[in-house]
Amino acid sequence: MRKLPLDHPGQADARTPWRFLRWTILGQWRTIAVAMLFGVIWMCSSAMVPAIIGKAIDTGVTGRDSGELWKWAGILSAVAVVQSASGIMRHRYAVTNWLTAAYRVVQLVARQATHLGGTLSKRVGTGEVVAIGTNDLSHIGNAMDVLARAMGALVSFVVVAVILLQTSTTLGLVVLLGVPFLLLLLGPLLSPLQRRNLEQREMMGHLANIATDIVSGLRVLRGIGGERVFHDRYSAESQKVRTAGVRVARLQSILDALQVFLPGVFVVVVVWLGARFAVQGRITAGELVAFYGYAAFLVLPLRTATEAANLWIRAFVSARRIVRVLALEPEIDDTGTLTAGPPENSELVDRASGVRVRPGTTTALVSDPPTDSAAVVDRLGRFADGEVTWGGVPLDTVPRAETRRRILVSDTGAILFSGRLGDQLLTPPDRPGHVEDALHAAAAGDVLDSLPDRLDAIVAEKGRSFSGGQRQRLILARALAIDPEVLLLVEPTSAVDAHTEARIAERLTSLRAGRTTVVTTSSPLMLARADQVVFLEDGVVAAVGTHHELLDSCPAYRAVVTREEADETAVAR
């Protein structure tokens, strides 16, 4: 499959839905132009059929000339071949346009989600993104698909109007003015239809958010008996969506009915006028048949035009949702003057808290509440604003891409992705075997042994097939396998038992020897292995030392750590 044009529309083109749709058309204008060309040939071929049949009747049947009849029959056959071939090619390019537009939306939104990072989940609900990937992309694709038929309908209408005007000015004017008049009659329905579509789409996104939350917390809901409460909530919201859908369908049914009724009335008028003119001798029998054929044919351009208007309304509503996501900017991004990152083994300093991370060591952060130390990690990893220096260089002046490449943050919100397990355990190019060391350090070897396909095993969505402790160990192994210059871990052992935690603490510090590692924890097993422990009070450094030094010299630190030891003893009993 050819490479899709994926240039981001940018803020200027992402500002309004119309600009986004225009950008979509321009991005694939070649295939759209070819599809329109075949659409015009296809429709015009159909438009020529009544004229050919009329000529065959006048010169062949009425004139009793078999030669003329065979000639026009041959011309009709040739036109049929052209019509079939152009119809096939029009359909092929229309499908190409649909696929190109739809999957460009998928790739754009996926790339934007990657660019936004943690900002996306704060600004847009998961259900909103899901709705774009399931419903909105098809509406954008349908809008590109219908362009070929819409152009064919427009050109064929002009061709038929010219032929009819040359045959009978009165009938030609009826057709030329009648078809646009019928379209205008449908116009008042389009605006309310767009409004109701938008309302339903917003409600569907909200319902998808609720469904995502229920699925994500299903295990917890079962544990606390909350299934019925959320079931009732989902049922009530789904009924609102159903009611909105019925309102859309009611208006859509009227529009669909008028698409059949109005062209039918139009055909009756044209045939009635044509029959009167034939009786009066103003047109021939063949021309009467041709006029009837044109009246029947013009139903197709009329319905195509109303279908195009309907599909573009839906595409406009979908584009509005897509633009809303594409217009978002990450909370943390490159701004101002950028400088090169510092050399390896440079010190990280968070001025707000006073935390200094010595290079090549394992530093543990302890705080009560734990969110204080997690906030320090967010600033050190540049996931939150703060006065942080790295080797004396302000961290916010280092390009974000370089920061993400050299500093890795693995927090409690990290998840496993669907797909092959081995694909998630990426290692440096020069250390392909490092994944085994990472699994060993994370004490995840037993998890791997329990999988029949080992690294080829398929991970379920968010790793739901694993227990909480297994997921946490695999996430830790994934972070260790990358072997970043600076590794920041937030509560990496909170879901494992003490025996496993002791093994992780020993192996983690051994694997990361000589590399900069920061761990937020209050576990004595992890703290005892750290080269340096930093204790925070009210988000500011209160004491620095080894675990045993702080136990002896800092009562507040001792209270935080020994409380956990007491809890573990109570659980063991």
Side-chain angles (χ1 to χ4, degrees):
M1 183 176 180
R2 66 184 183 86
K3 183 179 179 181
L4 299 181
L6 288 175
D7 293 336
H8 195 284
Q11 291 300 303
D13 290 321
R15 194 172 300 148
T16 67
W18 286 123
R19 287 185 178 180
F20 174 77
L21 291 171
R22 182 184 64 184
W23 171 84
T24 304
I25 294 174
L26 293 177
Q28 55 190 92
W29 68 270
R30 292 179 179 84
T31 54
I32 289 178
V34 175
M36 286 181 172
L37 175 61
F38 283 116
V40 168
I41 297 173
W42 172 61
M43 280 257 188
C44 288
S45 299
S46 301
M48 297 304 296
V49 170
I52 295 172
I53 293 176
K55 287 291 185 180
I57 291 174
D58 285 339
T59 60
V61 178
T62 305
R64 299 180 180 277
D65 188 337
S66 59
E68 285 292 314
L69 183 61
W70 279 108
K71 183 184 76 173
W72 288 107
I75 294 174
L76 182 62
S77 300
V79 170
V81 171
V82 172
Q83 179 185 7
S84 299
S86 59
I88 292 172
M89 295 304 298
R90 191 273 313 165
H91 179 71
R92 286 178 62 88
Y93 276 94
V95 172
T96 299
N97 290 328
W98 191 101
L99 293 173
T100 302
Y103 289 106
R104 283 179 83 202
V105 171
V106 172
Q107 292 169 327
L108 276 174
V109 173
R111 190 172 67 179
Q112 176 72 346
T114 303
H115 177 63
L116 292 173
T119 304
L120 180 64
S121 58
K122 299 177 184 179
R123 303 284 185 85
V124 181
T126 304
E128 185 81 3
V129 181
V130 170
I132 290 175
T134 54
N135 295 322
D136 294 328
L137 66 87
S138 65
H139 294 310
I140 300 296
N142 288 337
M144 300 303 111
D145 175 7
V146 79
L147 286 176
R149 287 182 288 129
M151 180 57 71
L154 176 62
V155 174
S156 63
F157 168 74
V158 174
V159 169
V160 170
V162 171
I163 294 175
L164 291 180
L165 285 172
Q166 291 178 345
T167 306
S168 170
T169 304
T170 303
L171 287 177
L173 289 175
V174 168
V175 173
L176 190 61
L177 300 178
V179 173
F181 177 72
L182 294 181
L183 290 176
L184 291 176
L185 291 178
L186 299 176
L189 296 176
L190 299 181
S191 180
L193 181 62
Q194 176 183 342
R195 186 172 59 253
R196 294 185 184 184
N197 264 313
L198 179 60
E199 178 185 356
Q200 184 201 18
R201 202 68 55 79
E202 295 291 341
M203 297 177 69
M204 288 176 64
H206 178 62
L207 185 64
N209 276 331
I210 295 177
T212 302
D213 292 341
I214 293 175
V215 172
S216 299
L218 189 58
R219 184 177 298 180
V220 177
L221 290 177
R222 286 176 174 172
I224 63 176
E227 294 171 274
R228 174 53 56 184
V229 174
F230 277 84
H231 174 271
D232 294 341
R233 179 186 173 193
Y234 183 84
S235 297
E237 293 296 328
S238 67
Q239 288 304 308
K240 293 180 182 179
V241 175
R242 182 188 65 82
T243 301
V246 169
R247 293 180 66 241
V248 172
R250 186 179 294 120
L251 196 56
Q252 184 68 54
S253 64
I254 295 174
L255 182 63
D256 292 342
L258 290 177
Q259 288 179 3
V260 176
F261 175 74
L262 293 179
V265 173
F266 178 70
V267 170
V268 170
V269 171
V270 172
V271 172
W272 179 74
L273 287 175
R276 286 177 57 86
F277 288 173
V279 170
Q280 296 170 3
R282 298 170 61 180
I283 60 174
T284 65
E287 289 173 339
L288 174 62
V289 173
F291 269 108
Y292 174 77
Y294 285 132
F297 165 78
L298 286 173
V299 173
L300 178 59
L302 177 60
R303 296 196 64 178
T304 300
T306 53
E307 179 190 3
N310 191 10
L311 292 178
W312 271 84
I313 286 176
R314 293 174 182 267
F316 179 83
V317 174
S318 297
R320 180 177 295 178
R321 292 162 60 108
I322 296 168
V323 162
R324 191 181 307 163
V325 174
L326 293 181
L328 294 176
E329 289 291 341
E331 295 174 331
I332 305 297
D333 204 359
D334 293 332
T335 57
T337 304
L338 299 180
T339 59
E344 289 193 17
N345 295 323
S346 295
E347 184 180 50
L348 268 172
V349 179
D350 176 40
R351 296 187 182 278
S353 63
V355 171
R356 306 181 73 90
V357 180
R358 298 200 309 264
T361 63
T362 298
T363 301
L365 302 182
V366 183
S367 65
D368 189 16
T371 52
D372 289 346
S373 54
V376 173
V377 167
D378 283 343
R379 292 194 294 270
L380 293 175
R382 206 186 169 197
F383 282 94
D385 288 323
E387 294 186 22
V388 178
T389 60
W390 188 16
V393 178
L395 189 60
D396 57 2
T397 65
V398 179
R400 191 177 68 149
E402 182 176 359
T403 302
R404 295 288 178 263
R405 178 175 57 83
R406 298 174 62 183
I407 301 178
L408 175 64
V409 178
S410 180
D411 59 17
T412 54
I415 62 172
L416 291 171
F417 299 104
S418 304
R420 181 177 174 273
L421 176 60
D423 293 337
Q424 306 192 45
L425 302 175
L426 303 177
T427 58
D430 57 338
R431 302 179 64 186
H434 187 60
V435 63
E436 299 293 339
D437 298 334
L439 287 166
H440 177 73
D446 60 324
V447 181
L448 191 65
D449 293 337
S450 66
L451 302 174
D453 298 325
R454 296 180 65 81
L455 292 177
D456 291 326
I458 301 301
V459 178
E461 182 185 3
K462 294 186 179 181
R464 299 187 195 283
S465 56
F466 299 112
S467 67
Q470 288 176 327
R471 277 199 305 273
Q472 190 173 58
R473 284 181 284 162
L474 287 173
I475 289 172
L476 175 59
R478 180 176 64 186
L480 294 173
I482 297 174
D483 193 28
E485 178 183 337
V486 179
L487 178 60
L488 309 178
L489 301 172
V490 178
E491 301 290 344
T493 58
S494 59
V496 300
D497 58 77
H499 178 66
T500 304
E501 187 175 33
R503 286 186 294 160
I504 292 175
E506 178 183 359
R507 297 172 183 177
L508 173 63
T509 53
S510 175
L511 182 68
R512 294 288 299 174
R515 308 284 275 174
T516 304
T517 307
V518 177
V519 182
T520 71
T521 183
S522 58
S523 166
L525 296 172
M526 292 292 295
L527 295 170
R529 290 285 179 177
D531 299 312
Q532 171 183 263
V533 178
V534 178
F535 178 58
L536 304 174
E537 283 188 309
D538 298 325
V540 180
V541 173
V544 179
T546 65
H547 172 57
H548 296 292
E549 290 173 351
L550 293 181
L551 283 177
D552 294 335
S553 62
C554 185
Y557 173 81
R558 185 167 56 249
V560 173
V561 174
T562 56
R563 180 180 62 191
E564 183 169 317
E565 287 182 319
D567 291 342
E568 290 178 356
T569 303
V571 171
R573 289 177 181 176

